[in-house]
Amino acid sequence: MADYFKPRGTADILPDAALQWQYVEEMVQKVFATYHYREIRTPIFEHTEVFERGVGDTTDIVQKEMYTFLDRGDRSITLRPEGTAGVVRAFVEQKLYGGPLPAKLYYFGPMFRYETPQAGRTRQFHQYGVEVIGSDDPRVDAEVIELADHFLRAVGVTSTTLELNSVGCPVCRVAHKDALVAHLLPIKDELCEDCQSRIVRNPLRILDCKIDAHHPVVESSPMITDHLCDDCAAHFAAVRNYLDLLEVPYVVNKKLVRGLDYYTKTAFEFVEGSIGAQSTILAGGRYNGLVKSLGGPDVPGIGFAGGIERLLLALAANGVSHEVPDEVEVYVMALSNEAHAMSVNILRDLRVVGVVADADYTGRGLKAQMKTADRLNAKVAVLIGEDEVKSGQLAVRDLSTREQILVAQGDTVAKILNILQS
RNA sequence: GUGGGCGUGGCGAAGUGGCUAACGCACCGGAUUGUGGCUCCGGCAUUCGUGGGUUCGAUCCCCAUCGCUCACCCCA
């Protein structure tokens, strides 16, 4: 029994799984680069105020999920719970608004939220995401969504549904919220406990509450899409039009709400139905007031974030695997101390020319080493025993043909390359 | 924070109130002195998450605790 354990909600990503992560990371870089997004790396922790201001201090994230602590200088520090606030903070602090706009950025990395773990949810999790700051053009909304769609398909997730909505701007959203609350208040006592508190905190959530969504009064609630101002309505129509042009399939979900305070206008989610209750694998939206509220110029923005862990679950659910077997090209077997001296040179020389080579370091017998070479699917074995040490000739064995020849030490690498290429 | 399920060797997985806790995989060793995927033989848990309790006796019963897991909430 181990004496030490990883913290609750964290994961050790072992070598086999790490290969899947590398694949996803490479695809992020490759696909996002073709859309001319450039990577930005911001700190994993920020001053707490960045998230309080950026994410919104009424959200669950800020109220009860942040990893916040005082550092040795009595500064309140928070491990980032999401990526956008930090990127926008950097955009403002580094004055990226002085460069070409919109800034098209992407990021990738760990996030932290103090939550009870479950399928698709951990305390340290990883997201990739993009932020486009400096344009309100609906073509940007469409590009961001199409990028997400393209990326998911490129990595092998084809079973998602794209849900789309507009949550309006501060003007029409407030008007709608007032109308909604006025509509629901008379039946407040009939709602579940959660919804009674949501009615003041986040009334939009009541619309898709699992308990109350089918209440007739709830069902007849005013929808945000019916309360959009002219600008928001035109923008939403334009986004849908571009998505149609791009042939990106979506469904309008009038109940779609975004959790974070900063969202405006476009909101969207890619949902995968077979990975458990946490089925959103990528989500995002527009945040036109965020840059200003973090002290920058009043420029609009839009972005999305996707969860790597959930993406991996979705890949598994889609039966997609990018496993790479644990293999080696050459296995060097040395059977004595003198042989070891020769083997380290052979290994180095092979690796210098790019050949994947390994050896036994536990003093096992030749037979056992042969088994290992076999299991690692080695193409060539190099044997160095007493005879070889004496003669200075190494036995090079082609493991597929079982042909074995003696080669002068200086010619070994060339001979092996010969076999590997045949 | 709340609720359900579970906790036996590296992994998967039987098991019963009581003599040495199945089996499979993996791993290690051996089957003509230094040679491979098959086969055969052998090895590998004084111990059943931890701590108490009940009992003549508990891995199997009770309590507590820790951990894992799924779900609610919320979110990527």
Side-chain angles (χ1 to χ4, degrees), chain A residues 89-110:
Chain A
R89 190 229 85 227
F91 174 87
V92 173
E93 180 175 349
Q94 307 303 333
K95 300 183 172 57
L96 265 44
Y97 48 80
L101 294 181
K104 296 173 48 164
L105 306 166
Y106 77 86
Y107 62 86
F108 188 108

Side-chain angles (χ1 to χ4, degrees), chain A residues 17-77:
Chain A
L19 291 167
Q20 304 270 11
W21 283 70
Q22 287 175 11
Y23 169 77
V24 171
E25 290 165 15
E26 285 164 13
M27 288 300 284
V28 167
Q29 293 179 3
K30 189 173 145 196
V31 174
F32 290 16
T34 61
Y35 286 72
H36 192 218
Y37 286 65
R38 304 179 75 206
E39 184 177 5
I40 181 168
R41 302 191 186 198
T42 63
I44 279 174
F45 56 85
E46 297 272 357
H47 291 293
T48 302
E49 305 83 68
V50 171
F51 302 116
E52 288 175 342
R53 194 69 53 82
V55 177
D57 43 25
T58 66
T59 60
D60 277 18
I61 290 178
V62 170
Q63 288 192 338
K64 54 188 191 190
E65 296 178 357
M66 294 205 301
Y67 274 93
T68 298
F69 58 95
L70 250 33
D71 73 7
R72 288 170 186 272
D74 280 336
R75 288 171 285 256
S76 181
I77 297 295

